[in-house]
Amino acid sequence: MDARFLGIAQLVDTPSVAVVVDVMRAFTVAAWAFAQGAEKIALAESLDEALALKDSHPDWVALKDGPPAPGFDTVNSPGLLRSLDLGGRTVVQKTTAGTVGALAVKEASLVLCASFVVAGATARLLQTRKCADVTFVVTGEDGQADEDLACAQYIARRVTGAGTDAAEFLRRAGESRAAAELTEGVREGVHPDDVALCLELDRFPFAMVATLEDSLMVLRPCAVPSPTVEASI
C-alpha cells in the first residue's frame, strides 16, 4: 500500500481513498456515539449548519467543540458522551479539525474516519478493499498534530504488516500537545477521562465510513470481522 500523510491544507487533488484521522477528539467521540447506539452522524460544515439541522430535526443530537452552548445537546468529549443513550438517534457533529478534514475529501471514492479506538478495524477494512493508494488526512495543528500522525502511521503499518507494536505510537499520542491541553484544562468541554479514552487501542470492532447522502456527509459504522472470526468461518 502506498500511503501519503497530508494536512488538510495540503490536499490539492481528490484522493481515491482517504482516511481522516482525529484522535483528540472528533473520531473517538464518533466511535463512542455509535457504541452508545447512534444510527448515523451528520458532519456539519459550520456551527450554523449544525444548529439548522437540529432545528429541522429536534430529535437529533447536536454536539460541538468547546464549552456547552445554546442549541447544542452536548460537547465533543468521549468521557461525557459515554453516559448518553443514543439508541437509534442521529448525531450532528461539528468540530474544529475532524469534520473539516472529512468534508475536504468528500468526493473521494472511499472516506474512512479514524482514531486509535477503531484503528484495527480501519486497517482491516483497507485490507479487505485492497486499497493500493491511501491518503491519510492528519487533521490537527495544520497537519502537524503528533497524535493524529502517530495514529495514521500505525494504521498504515497495520495494513502492511501484522503484529505491529502500538506502544510507541500511543506514547507519542499521549505526549502530544493536544493531550497536554486536555489534561491541563486549556481546552473547554473536557472530561478527566478524555485522554485515556482516546488512547484505548481497538476498543471498538467497527470502522467508520463517510458517504454523501443527499447534501450531507454522513458517517456510519461498518462492522469488520477480526482475523480470528474470519478464520473460524
Side-chain angles (χ1 to χ4, degrees), residues 36-39 84-89:
Q36 294 302 105
E39 177 186 348
L84 298 181
D85 179 5
L86 300 174
R89 308 281 292 278

Short mmCIF file of all heavy atoms in Angstrom, two decimals, residues 36-39 84-89:
data_model
loop_
_atom_site.label_atom_id
_atom_site.label_comp_id
_atom_site.label_asym_id
_atom_site.label_seq_id
_atom_site.Cartn_x
_atom_site.Cartn_y
_atom_site.Cartn_z
N GLN A 36 -22.81 3.91 21.70
CA GLN A 36 -23.96 4.26 22.53
C GLN A 36 -25.27 4.17 21.77
O GLN A 36 -26.31 4.58 22.27
CB GLN A 36 -23.78 5.67 23.10
CG GLN A 36 -22.61 5.81 24.08
CD GLN A 36 -22.73 4.86 25.26
OE1 GLN A 36 -22.04 3.87 25.35
NE2 GLN A 36 -23.64 5.16 26.18
N GLY A 37 -25.21 3.64 20.54
CA GLY A 37 -26.43 3.34 19.82
C GLY A 37 -26.81 4.27 18.68
O GLY A 37 -27.84 4.06 18.04
N ALA A 38 -26.00 5.30 18.41
CA ALA A 38 -26.35 6.23 17.32
C ALA A 38 -26.42 5.48 15.99
O ALA A 38 -25.61 4.59 15.71
CB ALA A 38 -25.32 7.35 17.24
N GLU A 39 -27.38 5.87 15.17
CA GLU A 39 -27.54 5.24 13.86
C GLU A 39 -26.57 5.83 12.85
O GLU A 39 -25.97 5.12 12.04
CB GLU A 39 -28.97 5.43 13.36
CG GLU A 39 -29.21 4.86 11.98
CD GLU A 39 -30.59 5.17 11.43
OE1 GLU A 39 -31.44 5.64 12.20
OE2 GLU A 39 -30.81 4.94 10.23
N LEU A 84 -24.47 8.90 27.59
CA LEU A 84 -25.71 9.21 26.89
C LEU A 84 -26.27 7.97 26.19
O LEU A 84 -25.52 7.18 25.62
CB LEU A 84 -25.48 10.31 25.85
CG LEU A 84 -25.01 11.68 26.37
CD1 LEU A 84 -24.86 12.64 25.19
CD2 LEU A 84 -25.98 12.23 27.39
N ASP A 85 -27.58 7.85 26.21
CA ASP A 85 -28.26 6.80 25.43
C ASP A 85 -28.63 7.40 24.08
O ASP A 85 -29.49 8.26 23.98
CB ASP A 85 -29.51 6.33 26.17
CG ASP A 85 -30.28 5.25 25.39
OD1 ASP A 85 -29.78 4.82 24.33
OD2 ASP A 85 -31.37 4.87 25.83
N LEU A 86 -27.96 6.93 23.04
CA LEU A 86 -28.19 7.47 21.69
C LEU A 86 -28.89 6.45 20.80
O LEU A 86 -28.83 6.56 19.57
CB LEU A 86 -26.85 7.89 21.07
CG LEU A 86 -26.08 8.98 21.82
CD1 LEU A 86 -24.72 9.20 21.18
CD2 LEU A 86 -26.87 10.28 21.86
N GLY A 87 -29.56 5.49 21.38
CA GLY A 87 -30.18 4.42 20.62
C GLY A 87 -31.05 4.91 19.48
O GLY A 87 -32.06 5.59 19.70
N GLY A 88 -30.67 4.60 18.24
CA GLY A 88 -31.43 4.95 17.05
C GLY A 88 -31.38 6.41 16.66
O GLY A 88 -32.06 6.82 15.71
N ARG A 89 -30.58 7.20 17.36
CA ARG A 89 -30.57 8.65 17.11
C ARG A 89 -29.56 9.02 16.01
O ARG A 89 -28.62 8.28 15.71
CB ARG A 89 -30.19 9.42 18.39
CG ARG A 89 -31.02 9.07 19.61
CD ARG A 89 -32.37 9.73 19.63
NE ARG A 89 -32.32 11.17 19.79
CZ ARG A 89 -32.18 11.79 20.97
NH1 ARG A 89 -32.01 11.10 22.10
NH2 ARG A 89 -32.20 13.11 21.04
#
